[in-house]
Amino acid sequence: MAAISQLNLQAVYTAPDATKTFTHAIPAESSTDALAAKQSHLNHLQSLVPMLQDEINVFLTERMEEDKKAQGAVSEKEAKEEENYGEDVVEEDA
């Protein structure tokens, strides 16, 4: 039987001023049953992908906050839009 090399789930963020690599090791399968090994591998991937997505989202949110601070104060309209992001806002007529 051939040796199984270490596999990784990896995403790379690249910008002009930064590069960040997100990596999760995928456990090597020791099963001699090919179907069981594939199912186990896919189960590991299925659990690792959302974890990777969460890490990327946290990183990108931090980058956005840093960019905002670098740009200075946010206008009142932009602040209100950010506060209500993803919500249905009904404008009331006065």
Side-chain angles (χ1 to χ4, degrees), residues 13-20 59 63 66-67:
Y13 168 85
T14 305
D17 62 340
T19 298
K20 171 107 171 134
F59 174 76
R63 293 277 306 182
E66 290 170 7
D67 288 347

Side-chain angles (χ1 to χ4, degrees), residues 16-72:
D17 62 340
T19 298
K20 171 107 171 134
T21 302
F22 303 89
T23 305
H24 286 275
I26 301 170
E29 302 305 325
S30 59
S31 175
T32 56
D33 179 8
L35 180 59
K38 286 179 184 179
Q39 287 175 330
S40 179
H41 180 79
L42 291 174
N43 287 336
H44 287 297
L45 280 175
Q46 191 173 23
S47 66
L48 291 175
V49 167
M51 290 171 39
L52 185 68
Q53 288 174 319
D54 289 343
E55 288 177 24
I56 293 168
N57 287 340
V58 167
F59 174 76
L60 291 177
T61 300
E62 289 171 356
R63 293 277 306 182
M64 287 172 50
E65 292 299 321
E66 290 170 7
D67 288 347
K68 260 196 238 180
K69 287 177 185 175
Q71 290 176 356

Side-chain angles (χ1 to χ4, degrees), residues 80-94:
K80 187 173 183 178
E81 287 174 359
E82 180 71 23
E83 182 179 311
N84 295 321
Y85 179 78
E87 298 178 14
D88 290 332
V89 178
V90 178
E91 297 289 332
E92 295 182 19
D93 293 329

